[in-house]
Amino acid sequence: RHVDSETGFCTAIETEVPFAELWEFDLERALLGQPPFRKIEYSPPLGGLFSPVAVVPAGESHRLLMVGGSAQGMLESLLFGWPIATTNQSLVVREFQWTEGRAGEAVALNVGDLSLGATASNNSHAIMFGGMVQNALTSAVMVLESRPGMGSTISGLYPEAQELGARAWHGLARPRDGLLVVFGGIASCE
């Protein structure tokens, strides 16, 4: 790894192979001055992804869904303004049950891969906005519905918003049911 020994900052970005690691951060341990990170081993091994959206389904704190992400790196292209090649990858939903060390993967064939988006969630839905679908900027909204004991479904990829420009690396919040607030991001990769 390329880390400056004095500052701890990255001196180079490795964009060829995304991490496939799952880590837990324990805030209580951190506040007590103890090592807060623990690597979680899982099986079967899954390939890494750039920028998936993480969702913990309501009432299922042992379960983590990683929605979307891209197996192909685009960070250098975004940072340097190089052309970004679109992909034909489908959306992948990965499920981790980290207390049991299990992992699984399902592909949503009718939806393109989603990365660099933002998510907000409530007790039963995760709403993902914007980012890139198959490496092209979008302002589309995707809804993941998840109910305890019933699994998860992607309930829709909606038409792009006409009033709101396509964007990635933005913030998204849900101040109350039925309302999302979007702020910032990049509107163009050129």
Side-chain angles (χ1 to χ4, degrees), residues 42-139:
Y42 63 89
S43 179
L46 302 174
L49 292 172
F50 292 99
S51 190
V53 173
V55 177
V56 175
E60 299 189 62
S61 62
H62 67 285
R63 192 168 160 236
L64 172 68
L65 300 177
M66 289 291 180
V67 181
S70 178
Q72 298 177 357
M74 66 186 110
L75 186 57
E76 283 181 332
S77 295
L78 289 170
L79 291 174
F80 298 114
W82 299 338
I84 298 173
T86 58
T87 73
N88 61 357
Q89 294 178 356
S90 294
L91 179 80
V92 174
V93 179
R94 293 176 175 196
E95 177 179 353
F96 296 92
Q97 295 188 14
W98 66 80
T99 56
E100 301 168 14
R102 290 190 320 200
E105 183 173 82
V107 176
L109 296 175
N110 295 329
V111 180
D113 68 340
L114 172 72
S115 59
L116 300 176
T119 186
S121 59
N122 62 14
N123 289 335
S124 61
H125 293 84
I127 301 152
M128 295 162 276
F129 169 77
M132 300 184 92
V133 172
Q134 296 181 330
N135 286 357
L137 277 173
T138 184
S139 60

Side-chain angles (χ1 to χ4, degrees), residues 120-123 125 127 172-182:
S121 59
N122 62 14
N123 289 335
H125 293 84
I127 301 152
L172 183 67
R174 189 189 134 266
R176 62 180 160 80
D177 282 344
L179 181 67
L180 293 176
V181 176
V182 176

